[in-house]
Amino acid sequence: MSKINIVGLGYIGLPTALMFAKSGIKVVGTDYNTNLVHSLNAGKLTFEEIGLEDLFQEALTNEIEFSTEYQKTHTYILAVPTPYIKESKKLDPKYVISAVNSVLDVCEKGAVIIIESTISPGTIDKFIRPEIQKRGYVIGEDVHLLHAPERIIPGNMIYELEHNSRTIGSDNLEIGEKIKGLYSNFCKAEIVVTDIRSAEMSKVVENTYRDINIAFANELAKICRTDNMNVYEIIRIANMHPRVNILQPGPGVGGHCISVDPWFLVGDYPDLTNMILTARKTNDSMPGHVLGRIRDIMREHGIKDISKVGLYGLAYKENVDDTRESPTLQLLDRMDEHLAFGVKVFDPLIKSRIVDHQFMNFEDFLNEIEILVVMVGHNHIKENMDLIKGKLVLDTKNICTFEGSYKI
Ligand code: SAJ
């Protein structure tokens, strides 16, 4: 088959491009970021992920190139960002729209455009189809439009690309089946072909389901805190029931997906989304709950100086270097609103300075603080439990192996 052009070489587009290349398909990865393209062409990855380096090296032995140019070909996969507008909680489709337009500028007649980026339900009908039609193209003849939302989880992406089932939304079932065949070059799990609206909606529903379930765990943590019950013990016991599977409470929900996608439903169906909205609010309240716990510990130990507090972890979850919407950043924002400055921060996976009072060395960081707040359960801290034993520890992730740490 002719080459495929994968547009957007970020967390989703790059591993996907590499998987296709590894399976023997000719791939060109396109990104407008010149530095990123240079770096990839020089054999250097732009973010860390388990197994990504090996996959990259394998893919490089096959036919893969990286370019800032859109390619003239038959198949396009768009994995560009879909930011959401903070104030309105709605999706901003500008990058998808501009990528679709750039594809239209060069594509062959009858080309297939597959959108992998997460979009809110209805985005294709509301924004993408009109954009294509405006340019005089007939969808289904001049170009075909599909939505194949990604499902992989940072930290286990490479495994999940191969083993997770996938959804392909298509206007035309025959084209949907063809694209299913394309993905089955590397995806060994079931691939479901459906219509575009169902594909858009199921993706958002999956993340909303997880948000609601995390919110339940977080609400339990708050209830248990009020009456001094051990939430972890209670969840452990409840989960022994064959039909109960409660998730873990934590300092909040971050990442570009779970903390964002449910808002699309709230924004579009405000009168119908009571539970979804409450779950969002519950999860968003967790950084504030952690702040309350820090205040309790400071009072108990007569510590008045906030600069004696250190937050461990800036990433949105364990063992990733992605800080988007991270609970720590949410907590720092809240402190900022209350003019509480000076809390110290450290994350072994974040190599650049993105907040004030951020340390680059773990021991220097520990030397400056009395209260350590574990916001993220990176392997790094699990392997360094000895170093933190002498501190007052607020363990929001329940990872401390020694007695006496405070819990959420
Ligand atoms: N979290 C908890 N308690 C838990 C599990 C997670 O507090 O028991 C927190 C994490 O610490 C993190 C946030 O929730 O801050 C989200 O982390 P996550 O590991 O649950 O999920 P993401 O955002 O990394 O990836 C999700 C996945 N979706 C689902 O599990 C339904 C992934 O499969 C999707 O591909 C991804 O969103 C996406 O791109 O949509």
Side-chain angles (χ1 to χ4, degrees):
M1 71 169 281
S2 60
K3 65 187 171 193
I4 56 176
N5 190 191
I6 299 191
V7 178
L9 297 173
Y11 288 102
I12 301 302
L14 180 63
T16 305
L18 299 178
M19 286 301 267
F20 274 118
K22 185 188 155 191
S23 67
I25 289 169
K26 202 167 161 189
V27 176
V28 180
T30 295
D31 201 292
Y32 76 123
N33 180 340
T34 322
N35 289 339
L36 181 121
V37 168
H38 279 160
S39 164
L40 292 172
N41 278 328
K44 232 179 123 267
L45 280 176
T46 38
F47 67 95
E48 288 184 22
E49 170 67 29
I50 299 159
L52 191 62
E53 183 61 45
D54 288 349
L55 176 63
F56 189 35
Q57 294 312 326
E58 265 184 273
L60 288 178
T61 61
N62 284 343
E63 285 191 81
I64 185 161
E65 297 166 39
F66 304 100
S67 168
T68 51
E69 303 294 322
Y70 284 73
Q71 307 293 306
K72 182 177 180 65
T73 188
H74 194 74
T75 311
Y76 298 85
I77 295 180
L78 311 187
V80 293
T82 42
Y84 87 117
I85 304 157
K86 276 225 158 87
E87 300 70 43
S88 65
K89 311 286 191 201
K90 293 206 182 239
L91 177 121
D92 182 350
K94 67 180 175 201
Y95 296 114
V96 186
I97 290 175
S98 116
V100 166
N101 272 307
S102 304
V103 167
L104 295 180
D105 289 342
V106 296
C107 68
E108 290 169 1
K109 189 172 162 66
V112 173
I113 307 176
I114 306 158
I115 297 172
E116 273 214 23
S117 316
T118 302
I119 47 185
S120 56
T123 298
I124 291 194
D125 283 350
K126 247 184 277 164
F127 299 102
I128 312 298
R129 288 187 203 278
E131 198 66 27
I132 296 174
Q133 285 153 349
K134 212 164 70 187
R135 293 187 48 169
Y137 288 81
V138 178
I139 298 171
E141 283 179 26
D142 300 324
V143 284
H144 297 280
L145 206 48
L146 290 95
H147 180 43
E150 58 79 18
R151 263 183 179 165
I152 52 179
I153 198 153
N156 198 28
M157 284 178 159
I158 311 302
Y159 176 88
E160 292 204 353
L161 270 171
E162 193 175 335
H163 296 97
N164 280 5
S165 71
R166 304 191 65 108
T167 317
I168 312 261
S170 176
D171 293 338
N172 174 321
L173 283 188
E174 215 177 292
I175 303 277
E177 288 296 329
K178 268 198 190 147
I179 297 307
K180 171 176 168 174
L182 175 67
Y183 277 98
S184 54
N185 276 294
F186 67 78
C187 173
K188 302 297 171 234
E190 187 175 347
I191 302 178
V192 176
V193 178
T194 184
D195 60 278
I196 287 182
R197 281 302 288 254
S198 301
E200 287 176 322
M201 184 66 176
S202 56
K203 163 74 191 194
V204 170
V205 164
E206 288 161 14
N207 282 342
T208 304
Y209 169 87
R210 195 154 168 87
D211 198 41
I212 290 174
N213 280 279
I214 298 170
F216 179 59
N218 283 333
E219 190 159 293
L220 289 181
K222 286 182 174 177
I223 294 171
C224 290
R225 173 57 42 218
T226 321
D227 261 333
N228 212 15
M229 291 179 272
N230 181 342
V231 68
Y232 301 105
E233 180 69 352
I234 290 158
I235 291 177
R236 189 177 72 82
I237 296 167
N239 281 350
M240 287 174 167
H241 185 290
R243 282 172 296 282
V244 176
N245 185 15
I246 305 171
L247 297 177
Q248 292 300 306
V253 169
H256 179 55
C257 307
I258 296 181
S259 63
V260 175
D261 294 3
W263 285 123
F264 299 155
L265 294 177
V266 174
D268 287 343
Y269 306 97
D271 297 335
L272 300 173
T273 43
N274 303 328
M275 188 166 62
I276 299 172
L277 176 62
T278 305
R280 254 319 41 250
K281 285 185 175 167
T282 301
N283 288 335
D284 274 354
S285 75
M286 292 314 287
H289 177 75
V290 175
L291 262 183
R293 295 290 293 138
I294 297 173
R295 184 201 51 213
D296 294 345
I297 299 166
M298 288 177 76
R299 279 197 187 140
E300 188 183 326
H301 292 273
I303 298 169
K304 297 217 162 59
D305 182 0
I306 190 74
S307 72
K308 290 287 163 200
V309 176
L311 307 177
Y312 176 92
L314 263 168
Y316 83 89
K317 67 174 189 179
E318 62 284 356
N319 306 324
V320 302
D321 60 4
D322 184 346
T323 59
R324 287 178 295 176
E325 322 290 331
S326 92
T328 304
L329 292 178
Q330 294 178 36
L331 191 148
L332 290 170
D333 272 353
R334 273 177 174 255
M335 292 186 100
D336 209 51
E337 277 165 22
H338 293 97
L339 304 176
F341 307 114
V343 68
K344 299 196 164 62
V345 187
F346 172 76
D347 190 314
L349 299 187
I350 309 302
K351 310 282 188 220
S352 54
R353 231 173 269 280
I354 58 169
V355 294
D356 291 341
H357 312 292
Q358 183 182 343
F359 283 65
M360 294 296 158
N361 177 291
F362 190 41
E363 291 189 10
D364 292 349
F365 167 72
L366 289 178
N367 285 337
E368 296 284 323
I369 60 171
E370 287 179 51
I371 301 176
L372 176 77
V373 185
V374 178
M375 295 290 286
V376 183
H378 289 315
N379 286 346
H380 165 268
I381 195 156
K382 292 185 180 161
E383 288 154 10
N384 282 292
M385 280 292 145
D386 284 358
L387 296 178
I388 66 171
K389 262 187 186 154
K391 301 285 170 200
L392 294 166
V393 177
L394 171 57
D395 175 15
T396 73
K397 297 300 289 185
N398 195 31
I399 57 161
C400 282
T401 48
F402 51 85
E403 290 282 300
S405 62
Y406 291 85
K407 302 291 177 192
I408 200 169

